[in-house]
Amino acid sequence: QRSTVGAMSDALTMGAMVTGSSDTALIEACVRVKSAGRATTTASVLQALLDEGYVGITLSEVRKACSKAAKLAAKAAEPAAAPAPAQTPTQPSESKLAKARRAAEIAVKQAESAMMHAHRELRLAKDGDEFTAHIATANRGGAFIQGCSERAIIGALETLGEAASGVVERRLEADYCTLEWMLLSNTAGTMPLPDEVRTAAAQRRNLLKPLRGGKDVVAMRACFTAPPDVAAVQPATSEPKVKGEVQGDYGSQSDYASLGGSARFASIDRAVARAAAAAGGGEAEDV
């Protein structure tokens, strides 16, 4: 415990910062008189100071000085405030978790709708028949999802006709929407993907994203490899022989090569089949 004298001395230092010099001197004199036991009341403090030769001081001024000294001494004697307890991280409430799950489900549904629309547009661009396009994309089972997912990751054109202007744009959009749906489904837990599939899907999505809605058909074609039956006999950098408007290289930037070719992609192919079958409720085809 600090003594009253020590606390009062600290109070004088504090008083010097908040009062004028004359007030500080009077406070110091009052503390000195009281600390020496020469006075206990305000009147006796005043008399002691007058006996010491102080002049021009009043009882009111001495009372005020003693009050300030007492307040400052009490404040100096107060223990330091205890540090606030560290806050422990709180787990999100069940309602917040449910809200997050619901948001993820909505995102997956929206991505699925965008994917199906993009595939209908692709089929319509290839066949020109709206009824056929609708029938061809009506089945959302495991086989359909498996085929879309495989094509989106491997990036191989089904036919050289897909390289034509007006069609390759639709193919790129369909692949992008499929990859986006795959990744969102993985995040939501509705279609868990193996690490290599998730990585390949993210890389290819990032490759296609800057070209969406653009007009650089040559750059779009460069994101795809030639159809398997053509790639076996045609160099990747040769121009596809499609009647009319196909010009430029394709296949030079395809992810197929970065995945290590067909040998390494076989394992990814099977993984996509298993995940697609689980999401679509069907059985994986033997790939």
Side-chain angles (χ1 to χ4, degrees):
Q1 283 288 350
R2 302 185 55 185
S3 66
T4 303
V5 175
M8 296 286 264
S9 298
D10 290 344
L12 290 175
T13 303
M14 298 174 63
M17 295 186 292
V18 297
T19 63
S21 58
S22 59
D23 289 342
T24 302
L26 183 56
I27 292 172
E28 182 178 13
C30 292
V31 171
R32 177 172 47 77
V33 169
K34 281 192 171 186
S35 299
R38 294 166 53 196
T40 56
T41 65
T42 304
S44 60
V45 171
L46 174 60
Q47 187 58 54
L49 294 177
L50 291 175
D51 292 343
E52 289 184 359
Y54 279 81
V55 294
I57 57 175
T58 65
L59 181 63
S60 176
E61 291 173 337
V62 172
R63 183 181 293 111
K64 186 182 296 184
C66 290
S67 176
K68 287 184 178 180
K71 290 179 180 179
L72 292 172
K75 187 173 182 179
E78 289 179 356
Q87 294 184 350
T88 56
T90 57
Q91 296 294 330
S93 65
E94 184 58 35
S95 61
K96 288 185 177 180
L97 292 174
K99 186 176 181 180
R101 287 193 295 267
R102 179 57 181 162
E105 292 172 0
I106 293 175
V108 171
K109 287 294 184 182
Q110 291 175 339
E112 181 182 356
S113 297
M115 175 181 69
M116 299 305 298
H117 176 74
H119 279 283
R120 280 194 293 271
E121 291 294 311
L122 172 61
R123 181 64 64 175
L124 184 60
K126 292 167 64 175
D127 298 338
D129 184 344
E130 187 170 350
F131 179 77
T132 302
H134 175 76
I135 294 299
T137 57
N139 179 16
R140 304 188 185 191
F144 175 80
I145 295 174
Q146 177 183 342
C148 293
S149 301
E150 290 172 357
R151 287 192 295 273
I153 294 181
I154 195 173
L157 299 176
E158 288 189 282
T159 65
L160 283 179
E162 285 190 342
S165 178
V167 181
V168 69
E169 298 96 320
R170 301 297 186 186
R171 170 60 194 273
L172 185 144
E173 182 66 13
D175 281 8
Y176 176 86
C177 291
T178 300
L179 295 166
E180 184 73 4
W181 171 79
M182 290 173 64
L183 293 169
L184 287 173
S185 298
N186 174 78
T187 301
T190 56
M191 190 176 78
L193 299 173
D195 289 342
E196 61 180 352
V197 177
R198 184 174 62 253
T199 299
Q203 289 175 347
R204 183 146 183 84
R205 180 195 59 179
N206 294 338
L207 175 69
L208 302 181
K209 185 175 182 179
L211 299 174
R212 293 180 69 205
K215 298 181 180 180
D216 192 345
V217 176
V218 174
M220 294 180 185
R221 292 188 189 120
C223 295
F224 298 95
T225 59
D229 56 338
V230 176
V233 297
Q234 176 178 304
T237 56
S238 63
E239 293 186 1
K241 299 297 186 290
V242 179
K243 182 178 180 181
E245 45 195 353
V246 177
Q247 297 178 1
D249 296 340
Y250 67 107
S252 58
Q253 298 179 20
S254 171
D255 279 356
Y256 184 73
S258 67
L259 291 172
S262 59
R264 182 169 183 271
F265 189 79
S267 62
I268 297 180
D269 193 23
R270 287 191 292 271
V272 169
R274 288 192 296 269
E283 295 184 356
E285 298 179 1
D286 186 11
V287 292

